Amino acid sequence: MERTPVVSGWFSGDGDDFRLLGTRCRACGSVFFPRADAFCRNPSCDGTELDQTPLSRTGTVWSYTDSRYRPPAPYPCDPEAPWEPFTVLAVELAAERMVVLGQAAPDVTTADLAVGMAVELVPGVLHRDAERVWGTWHWRPTGVAV
Amino acid sequence: MTGDIAVLGAGLHPWGKWGRNFVEYGTAAARAALADAQLDWRDAQLVVGADTVRGGYPGHVAGAAFAQALGWQGARVSSVYAACASGAQAINTARAQILAGMVDVALVVGADAAPKGFFAPAGGDRPDDPDWLRFRVLGATNPVYFGLYARRRMARYGDTPQDFAQVKVKNAAAGAVNPNARYRKAVSAEEVAASPVVADPLRLLDICATSDGGAALVLSSMAFARRRGVAPVRIRAVSTVTPRYPRTALDLPDFATDSAAAVPPPEVGFRASIAAAAYEEAGTGPADLDLAEVYDLSTALELEWYEDVGLCPAGEGAKLLREGATALGGRVPVNPSGGLASFGEAVPAQAIAQVCELTWQLRGQAGGRQVPGARCGLAANQGLFGHGAAVIAVR
């Protein structure tokens, strides 16, 4: 089944080409994620032309945690299935000088992580229901086999 | 500096899980505040409601809901929503109208009836709402953000889960002697450590509950207070700042910080700027504080506030705690009310309740949790989406 992005326009590509998509202001060079398409949010810039720009594929762990309890709607999950905690990472991207959140790949627990560790972006599945596979982005320590 | 306004009355409906309509809690608190001020509701020329949110809009549009419950009397009305900072903004709305000479006496009310469990966004399919999206895409409940901050402190400053537990122990001890608190018993570090992990490294007893409750203040011009011959607690400053770009600290409900690649980050970060603006307006500083009420959504977050309101340098919050400086009897007690740890959060009421506590402390009416000789207090909080708020009250 083909993956439907959980949000359209936030990421694209396959395998090593998978990237989060931000935008960059043509006037001041500021980068935005989630994307800003109409107006630059730098208060000293009047820019209105922003180009889509892929964000760095790799970064370092700024912090991490997990969700031991089921989040409420609209988090997509099967309420009948036993709850499996997921891990959340905040990842610092050096070139963009920003921190971006994301869930960890499903096999990654907080015990596998440390602040400052190198991680990479990989395509992931948020949820499968009868009609669709919802695609998202995941972070995973670099050099770990799929 | 701006002028002072007077706090003539403060009132709370006790926090708990009562299962009744929020208007009832707010009305009870308003009546208590009016009685404390020895004023009749019909003397209030302005009612400001801090709004609760139901179904994606401010439910019952709070200012008028309280005015109707108290009995329509024609007062001006204002309704304010700023998430956790709603109460502080409601106070500031009243203050601005008092200082502008538009009204002499204002009633400020906030109340909520919180649902069980995690706070959740309004229903429906709303992908244009960042608060809806963070639940949808990340499953990022509020404790997920609190867990990220806590882990970051451990890595950066060497804080430990034992430090976090000690914040709960301290606040529970204060809340145990506060008749308005929801949780009124001492908690041990062992009990914190035995509670289940919610968002690693934080456990259930590290994270504030969601509560029902109501809080109200009667505020007036200094001239009105003088005519009544009272020497009231005064509100000297209210900070309602937003962040400066680029905002480099991760906040609810954001997916990312601003990028600092093109524009360097401001010298003072957002959270530190909240109290700084209040100090500047009041002409005071952290050394003048006798006590502070800060928004301890989690135990680890309370340590961050110590640093952000200037009680100690960055990274030394846990040291200040370990020294006992922020406990009752310490140099500058923090959350002598028991804080959110003992109350749980009733969102639009909470920042007003903080100022009620400052009022009672500065009047010397705080009973078993009294900070002796308190003359200057700070209340600080932060509402998601970038609503900063801090209040400085003096006697």
Side-chain angles (χ1 to χ4, degrees):
Chain A
M1 207 183 310
E2 193 163 316
R3 289 184 190 181
T4 307
V6 66
V7 196
S8 65
W10 283 24
F11 50 84
S12 74
D14 297 304
D16 287 350
D17 294 326
F18 184 73
R19 292 284 195 288
L20 290 171
L21 300 175
T23 55
R24 185 187 299 274
C25 174
R26 273 189 211 175
C28 75
S30 287
V31 175
F32 299 98
F33 180 82
R35 53 193 304 147
D37 285 293
F39 301 100
C40 179
R41 291 197 282 105
N42 172 0
S44 54
C45 178
D46 291 332
T48 56
E49 292 181 295
L50 297 102
D51 300 312
Q52 181 167 298
T53 184
L55 303 188
S56 302
R57 238 193 105 244
T58 57
T60 52
V61 175
W62 183 86
S63 191
Y64 57 93
T65 187
D66 60 11
S67 184
R68 300 285 180 98
Y69 293 86
R70 190 189 302 275
Y75 187 69
C77 61
D78 175 4
E80 305 300 321
W83 177 244
E84 291 291 340
F86 59 82
T87 301
V88 175
L89 276 80
V91 175
E92 200 159 10
L93 306 180
E96 292 83 0
R97 292 193 66 187
M98 69 195 300
V99 173
V100 179
L101 293 181
Q103 289 191 358
D107 49 338
V108 178
T109 71
T110 55
D112 304 321
L113 297 169
V115 169
M117 182 181 272
V119 290
E120 63 184 345
L121 190 79
V122 291
V125 171
L126 180 64
H127 182 60
R128 292 170 207 274
D129 58 30
E131 294 91 41
R132 275 189 256 222
V133 177
W134 294 99
T136 191
W137 71 95
H138 283 157
W139 295 106
R140 169 183 88 181
T142 47
V144 174
V146 179
Chain B
M1 285 174 69
T2 52
D4 290 353
I5 60 164
V7 182
L8 296 184
L12 295 186
H13 180 288
W15 263 230
K17 213 74 166 181
W18 310 107
R20 299 198 300 275
N21 190 308
F22 79 96
V23 179
E24 186 180 324
Y25 311 138
T27 306
R31 285 169 170 252
L34 287 160
D36 184 40
Q38 297 183 299
L39 282 172
D40 188 280
W41 151 237
R42 289 164 296 183
D43 297 326
Q45 297 153 321
L46 167 69
V47 58
V48 187
D51 300 349
T52 181
V53 165
R54 274 136 225 292
Y57 67 94
H60 304 212
V61 192
F66 297 129
Q68 182 189 37
L70 290 159
W72 296 121
Q73 50 90 326
R76 290 170 184 257
V77 65
S78 184
S79 297
V80 177
Y81 185 69
C84 299
S86 298
Q89 289 210 357
I91 291 167
N92 197 47
T93 296
R95 171 178 175 256
Q97 293 204 23
I98 290 166
L99 291 177
M102 293 166 67
V103 298
D104 272 328
V105 180
L107 174 69
V108 178
V109 192
D112 208 357
K116 191 173 159 27
F118 291 119
F119 281 135
D125 197 31
R126 298 181 301 107
D128 60 342
D129 174 359
D131 197 44
W132 185 89
L133 272 178
R134 58 138 166 164
F135 282 91
R136 175 71 172 178
V137 178
L138 298 174
T141 58
N142 293 1
V144 160
Y145 288 84
F146 307 155
L148 290 170
Y149 304 149
R151 174 62 63 182
R152 179 70 185 171
R153 287 193 64 84
M154 291 170 68
R156 192 173 180 202
Y157 301 134
D159 290 8
T160 65
Q162 291 73 32
D163 292 326
F164 302 153
Q166 208 52 46
V167 174
K168 176 71 175 187
V169 171
K170 171 186 79 71
N171 287 347
V177 291
N178 187 343
N180 287 309
R182 175 175 171 190
Y183 303 105
R184 293 191 300 276
K185 71 177 196 59
V187 171
S188 69
E190 291 72 29
E191 286 172 285
V192 179
S195 67
V197 173
V198 174
D200 177 273
L202 296 177
R203 296 175 178 275
L204 188 63
L205 293 184
D206 284 305
I207 295 168
C208 91
T210 64
S211 292
D212 296 0
L217 290 164
V218 178
L219 305 175
S220 81
S221 64
M222 289 307 297
F224 182 90
R226 272 192 293 271
R227 285 201 296 276
R228 292 172 55 81
V230 294
V233 166
R234 289 163 287 162
I235 290 178
R236 181 149 285 175
V238 182
S239 150
T240 57
V241 295
T242 48
R244 290 175 188 278
Y245 182 86
R247 182 188 195 177
T248 54
L250 191 67
D251 190 20
L252 292 74
D254 297 336
F255 282 81
T257 64
D258 288 336
S259 162
V263 180
E267 269 178 42
V268 178
F270 175 48
R271 286 165 49 82
S273 76
I274 295 171
Y279 291 137
E280 188 181 347
E281 189 170 88
T284 58
D288 299 310
L289 296 183
D290 297 304
L291 70 140
E293 287 279 311
V294 303
Y295 227 64
D296 57 319
L297 292 164
S298 82
T299 50
L301 207 56
E302 177 168 316
L303 301 180
E304 205 138 315
W305 278 115
Y306 296 175
E307 300 158 13
D308 287 328
V309 306
L311 298 180
C312 64
E316 295 186 14
K319 180 167 169 271
L320 195 70
L321 174 82
R322 291 180 209 132
E323 290 166 0
T326 59
L328 284 175
R331 177 168 63 76
V332 53
V334 176
N335 286 330
S337 69
L340 296 176
S342 302
F343 275 71
E345 190 184 20
V347 177
Q350 212 67 44
I352 299 170
Q354 287 183 316
V355 178
C356 289
E357 179 67 12
L358 296 187
T359 301
W360 292 319
Q361 289 285 352
L362 296 172
R363 286 175 178 171
Q365 296 175 338
R369 60 186 197 284
Q370 180 66 45
V371 177
R375 301 195 66 87
C376 180
L378 168 84
N381 69 62
Q382 182 186 346
L384 84 172
F385 283 101
H387 293 89
V391 176
I392 290 175
V394 298
R395 175 174 61 116

